[in-house]
Amino acid sequence: MAGTKTYMAKPGEVKKNWWLVDADGKILGRLASDIAVILMCKHRTTYTPPIDTGDFVIVTNVAKIVLTCNYWALKKYSWYPGYMGLRSETAERRRSQRPELVLREAVRRMLPKNKLAAKMLSKLKIYVGTDHEHQAQQPQAIELGVKKS
């Protein structure tokens, strides 16, 4: 076993790619889980849990994302506002006011629960329309959120 070595990526050693995802007609949960895998860098062989080696992801058309069944009316988001009681709203209301928050929360809850998750989440760029300001990074289009058979 002397010849076996475990590779541990070092910060700044891995080249970070930029990916462009179109969320038009995609199911929220499948899309969020695929994005979380890319942000954590689990799609590469250089995956190292304590190091942020993940790629950047740009998501466009997030207002056209899909929830199955009647989850737009059934799904509730709750939070503590600092006063007595909880505040809550449906996914449909949140989509009408800030549609990018629906996807960001879904991805955030699929990332690890530590300080590294905030760094990973900062590499997620979400836009409501088709335009984004990252053309200089030359993002590559990728198809995420599709059912794998």
Side-chain angles (χ1 to χ4, degrees), residues 110-127:
M110 292 182 186
L111 292 175
K113 312 305 186 266
N114 56 21
K115 293 179 182 178
L116 198 57
K119 291 180 186 175
M120 292 176 188
L121 196 60
S122 69
K123 295 186 292 183
L124 176 63
K125 315 297 181 188
I126 302 175
Y127 297 96

PDB file of all heavy atoms in Angstrom, residues 110-127:
ATOM      1  N   MET A 110     -29.367  22.502   0.159  1.00  0.00           N
ATOM      2  CA  MET A 110     -28.711  21.279  -0.308  1.00  0.00           C
ATOM      3  C   MET A 110     -27.195  21.318  -0.139  1.00  0.00           C
ATOM      4  O   MET A 110     -26.526  20.330  -0.401  1.00  0.00           O
ATOM      5  CB  MET A 110     -29.065  21.039  -1.772  1.00  0.00           C
ATOM      6  CG  MET A 110     -30.501  20.705  -1.968  1.00  0.00           C
ATOM      7  SD  MET A 110     -30.876  20.365  -3.659  1.00  0.00           S
ATOM      8  CE  MET A 110     -32.644  20.188  -3.564  1.00  0.00           C
ATOM      9  N   LEU A 111     -26.666  22.450   0.280  1.00  0.00           N
ATOM     10  CA  LEU A 111     -25.233  22.583   0.514  1.00  0.00           C
ATOM     11  C   LEU A 111     -24.914  22.151   1.940  1.00  0.00           C
ATOM     12  O   LEU A 111     -25.803  22.058   2.784  1.00  0.00           O
ATOM     13  CB  LEU A 111     -24.801  24.032   0.279  1.00  0.00           C
ATOM     14  CG  LEU A 111     -24.861  24.519  -1.159  1.00  0.00           C
ATOM     15  CD1 LEU A 111     -24.521  26.006  -1.223  1.00  0.00           C
ATOM     16  CD2 LEU A 111     -23.964  23.728  -2.060  1.00  0.00           C
ATOM     17  N   PRO A 112     -23.631  21.891   2.244  1.00  0.00           N
ATOM     18  CA  PRO A 112     -23.275  21.519   3.615  1.00  0.00           C
ATOM     19  C   PRO A 112     -23.591  22.645   4.591  1.00  0.00           C
ATOM     20  O   PRO A 112     -23.622  23.814   4.212  1.00  0.00           O
ATOM     21  CB  PRO A 112     -21.769  21.248   3.545  1.00  0.00           C
ATOM     22  CG  PRO A 112     -21.321  21.777   2.261  1.00  0.00           C
ATOM     23  CD  PRO A 112     -22.484  21.880   1.356  1.00  0.00           C
ATOM     24  N   LYS A 113     -23.846  22.292   5.828  1.00  0.00           N
ATOM     25  CA  LYS A 113     -24.221  23.278   6.843  1.00  0.00           C
ATOM     26  C   LYS A 113     -22.969  23.719   7.598  1.00  0.00           C
ATOM     27  O   LYS A 113     -22.741  23.347   8.743  1.00  0.00           O
ATOM     28  CB  LYS A 113     -25.245  22.695   7.816  1.00  0.00           C
ATOM     29  CG  LYS A 113     -26.425  21.989   7.178  1.00  0.00           C
ATOM     30  CD  LYS A 113     -27.160  22.862   6.186  1.00  0.00           C
ATOM     31  CE  LYS A 113     -28.398  22.201   5.675  1.00  0.00           C
ATOM     32  NZ  LYS A 113     -28.256  21.463   4.451  1.00  0.00           N
ATOM     33  N   ASN A 114     -22.124  24.518   6.947  1.00  0.00           N
ATOM     34  CA  ASN A 114     -20.915  25.030   7.572  1.00  0.00           C
ATOM     35  C   ASN A 114     -20.534  26.362   6.937  1.00  0.00           C
ATOM     36  O   ASN A 114     -21.263  26.892   6.101  1.00  0.00           O
ATOM     37  CB  ASN A 114     -19.772  24.009   7.468  1.00  0.00           C
ATOM     38  CG  ASN A 114     -19.500  23.595   6.049  1.00  0.00           C
ATOM     39  OD1 ASN A 114     -19.844  24.287   5.100  1.00  0.00           O
ATOM     40  ND2 ASN A 114     -18.875  22.446   5.888  1.00  0.00           N
ATOM     41  N   LYS A 115     -19.398  26.907   7.321  1.00  0.00           N
ATOM     42  CA  LYS A 115     -18.974  28.206   6.814  1.00  0.00           C
ATOM     43  C   LYS A 115     -18.621  28.157   5.328  1.00  0.00           C
ATOM     44  O   LYS A 115     -18.704  29.156   4.630  1.00  0.00           O
ATOM     45  CB  LYS A 115     -17.762  28.708   7.597  1.00  0.00           C
ATOM     46  CG  LYS A 115     -18.057  29.031   9.022  1.00  0.00           C
ATOM     47  CD  LYS A 115     -16.812  29.482   9.736  1.00  0.00           C
ATOM     48  CE  LYS A 115     -17.104  29.754  11.188  1.00  0.00           C
ATOM     49  NZ  LYS A 115     -15.887  30.143  11.918  1.00  0.00           N
ATOM     50  N   LEU A 116     -18.224  27.010   4.849  1.00  0.00           N
ATOM     51  CA  LEU A 116     -17.849  26.858   3.444  1.00  0.00           C
ATOM     52  C   LEU A 116     -19.058  27.009   2.521  1.00  0.00           C
ATOM     53  O   LEU A 116     -18.921  27.403   1.369  1.00  0.00           O
ATOM     54  CB  LEU A 116     -17.197  25.488   3.253  1.00  0.00           C
ATOM     55  CG  LEU A 116     -16.368  25.247   2.014  1.00  0.00           C
ATOM     56  CD1 LEU A 116     -15.252  26.279   1.930  1.00  0.00           C
ATOM     57  CD2 LEU A 116     -15.801  23.868   2.028  1.00  0.00           C
ATOM     58  N   ALA A 117     -20.252  26.731   3.031  1.00  0.00           N
ATOM     59  CA  ALA A 117     -21.466  26.831   2.214  1.00  0.00           C
ATOM     60  C   ALA A 117     -21.717  28.264   1.765  1.00  0.00           C
ATOM     61  O   ALA A 117     -22.214  28.492   0.662  1.00  0.00           O
ATOM     62  CB  ALA A 117     -22.659  26.306   2.989  1.00  0.00           C
ATOM     63  N   ALA A 118     -21.381  29.244   2.575  1.00  0.00           N
ATOM     64  CA  ALA A 118     -21.570  30.648   2.189  1.00  0.00           C
ATOM     65  C   ALA A 118     -20.667  31.010   1.019  1.00  0.00           C
ATOM     66  O   ALA A 118     -21.078  31.741   0.109  1.00  0.00           O
ATOM     67  CB  ALA A 118     -21.290  31.559   3.378  1.00  0.00           C
ATOM     68  N   LYS A 119     -19.449  30.483   1.001  1.00  0.00           N
ATOM     69  CA  LYS A 119     -18.537  30.722  -0.130  1.00  0.00           C
ATOM     70  C   LYS A 119     -19.053  30.044  -1.388  1.00  0.00           C
ATOM     71  O   LYS A 119     -18.964  30.586  -2.480  1.00  0.00           O
ATOM     72  CB  LYS A 119     -17.136  30.212   0.195  1.00  0.00           C
ATOM     73  CG  LYS A 119     -16.425  31.005   1.249  1.00  0.00           C
ATOM     74  CD  LYS A 119     -15.050  30.436   1.497  1.00  0.00           C
ATOM     75  CE  LYS A 119     -14.382  31.130   2.657  1.00  0.00           C
ATOM     76  NZ  LYS A 119     -13.102  30.519   2.997  1.00  0.00           N
ATOM     77  N   MET A 120     -19.586  28.840  -1.219  1.00  0.00           N
ATOM     78  CA  MET A 120     -20.137  28.123  -2.376  1.00  0.00           C
ATOM     79  C   MET A 120     -21.346  28.855  -2.934  1.00  0.00           C
ATOM     80  O   MET A 120     -21.500  28.988  -4.148  1.00  0.00           O
ATOM     81  CB  MET A 120     -20.532  26.707  -1.967  1.00  0.00           C
ATOM     82  CG  MET A 120     -19.390  25.816  -1.620  1.00  0.00           C
ATOM     83  SD  MET A 120     -20.025  24.233  -1.064  1.00  0.00           S
ATOM     84  CE  MET A 120     -18.532  23.455  -0.502  1.00  0.00           C
ATOM     85  N   LEU A 121     -22.214  29.325  -2.069  1.00  0.00           N
ATOM     86  CA  LEU A 121     -23.427  29.996  -2.503  1.00  0.00           C
ATOM     87  C   LEU A 121     -23.133  31.338  -3.162  1.00  0.00           C
ATOM     88  O   LEU A 121     -23.897  31.800  -4.009  1.00  0.00           O
ATOM     89  CB  LEU A 121     -24.377  30.177  -1.319  1.00  0.00           C
ATOM     90  CG  LEU A 121     -25.816  30.500  -1.648  1.00  0.00           C
ATOM     91  CD1 LEU A 121     -26.418  29.375  -2.477  1.00  0.00           C
ATOM     92  CD2 LEU A 121     -26.623  30.715  -0.399  1.00  0.00           C
ATOM     93  N   SER A 122     -22.014  31.957  -2.802  1.00  0.00           N
ATOM     94  CA  SER A 122     -21.666  33.233  -3.434  1.00  0.00           C
ATOM     95  C   SER A 122     -21.246  33.043  -4.890  1.00  0.00           C
ATOM     96  O   SER A 122     -21.213  34.013  -5.650  1.00  0.00           O
ATOM     97  CB  SER A 122     -20.538  33.918  -2.661  1.00  0.00           C
ATOM     98  OG  SER A 122     -19.333  33.207  -2.816  1.00  0.00           O
ATOM     99  N   LYS A 123     -20.961  31.803  -5.299  1.00  0.00           N
ATOM    100  CA  LYS A 123     -20.601  31.529  -6.694  1.00  0.00           C
ATOM    101  C   LYS A 123     -21.814  31.214  -7.552  1.00  0.00           C
ATOM    102  O   LYS A 123     -21.673  30.892  -8.717  1.00  0.00           O
ATOM    103  CB  LYS A 123     -19.604  30.374  -6.760  1.00  0.00           C
ATOM    104  CG  LYS A 123     -18.279  30.729  -6.114  1.00  0.00           C
ATOM    105  CD  LYS A 123     -17.271  29.653  -6.319  1.00  0.00           C
ATOM    106  CE  LYS A 123     -17.680  28.437  -5.549  1.00  0.00           C
ATOM    107  NZ  LYS A 123     -16.726  27.354  -5.639  1.00  0.00           N
ATOM    108  N   LEU A 124     -23.002  31.320  -6.978  1.00  0.00           N
ATOM    109  CA  LEU A 124     -24.248  31.113  -7.719  1.00  0.00           C
ATOM    110  C   LEU A 124     -24.816  32.468  -8.112  1.00  0.00           C
ATOM    111  O   LEU A 124     -25.121  33.292  -7.254  1.00  0.00           O
ATOM    112  CB  LEU A 124     -25.249  30.344  -6.857  1.00  0.00           C
ATOM    113  CG  LEU A 124     -26.638  30.134  -7.437  1.00  0.00           C
ATOM    114  CD1 LEU A 124     -26.576  29.295  -8.703  1.00  0.00           C
ATOM    115  CD2 LEU A 124     -27.545  29.498  -6.411  1.00  0.00           C
ATOM    116  N   LYS A 125     -24.945  32.723  -9.397  1.00  0.00           N
ATOM    117  CA  LYS A 125     -25.464  33.988  -9.919  1.00  0.00           C
ATOM    118  C   LYS A 125     -26.825  33.713 -10.557  1.00  0.00           C
ATOM    119  O   LYS A 125     -26.908  32.937 -11.514  1.00  0.00           O
ATOM    120  CB  LYS A 125     -24.524  34.595 -10.965  1.00  0.00           C
ATOM    121  CG  LYS A 125     -23.048  34.583 -10.587  1.00  0.00           C
ATOM    122  CD  LYS A 125     -22.765  35.411  -9.372  1.00  0.00           C
ATOM    123  CE  LYS A 125     -21.272  35.380  -9.072  1.00  0.00           C
ATOM    124  NZ  LYS A 125     -20.923  35.994  -7.824  1.00  0.00           N
ATOM    125  N   ILE A 126     -27.876  34.330 -10.028  1.00  0.00           N
ATOM    126  CA  ILE A 126     -29.238  34.055 -10.487  1.00  0.00           C
ATOM    127  C   ILE A 126     -29.836  35.305 -11.106  1.00  0.00           C
ATOM    128  O   ILE A 126     -29.768  36.394 -10.519  1.00  0.00           O
ATOM    129  CB  ILE A 126     -30.112  33.576  -9.313  1.00  0.00           C
ATOM    130  CG1 ILE A 126     -29.501  32.326  -8.689  1.00  0.00           C
ATOM    131  CG2 ILE A 126     -31.525  33.304  -9.770  1.00  0.00           C
ATOM    132  CD1 ILE A 126     -30.219  31.842  -7.462  1.00  0.00           C
ATOM    133  N   TYR A 127     -30.443  35.143 -12.303  1.00  0.00           N
ATOM    134  CA  TYR A 127     -31.071  36.249 -13.020  1.00  0.00           C
ATOM    135  C   TYR A 127     -32.477  35.858 -13.441  1.00  0.00           C
ATOM    136  O   TYR A 127     -32.712  34.741 -13.893  1.00  0.00           O
ATOM    137  CB  TYR A 127     -30.230  36.636 -14.240  1.00  0.00           C
ATOM    138  CG  TYR A 127     -28.873  37.147 -13.847  1.00  0.00           C
ATOM    139  CD1 TYR A 127     -27.764  36.307 -13.835  1.00  0.00           C
ATOM    140  CD2 TYR A 127     -28.701  38.457 -13.449  1.00  0.00           C
ATOM    141  CE1 TYR A 127     -26.526  36.762 -13.440  1.00  0.00           C
ATOM    142  CE2 TYR A 127     -27.461  38.927 -13.057  1.00  0.00           C
ATOM    143  CZ  TYR A 127     -26.382  38.078 -13.058  1.00  0.00           C
ATOM    144  OH  TYR A 127     -25.154  38.528 -12.664  1.00  0.00           O
TER     145      TYR A 127
END
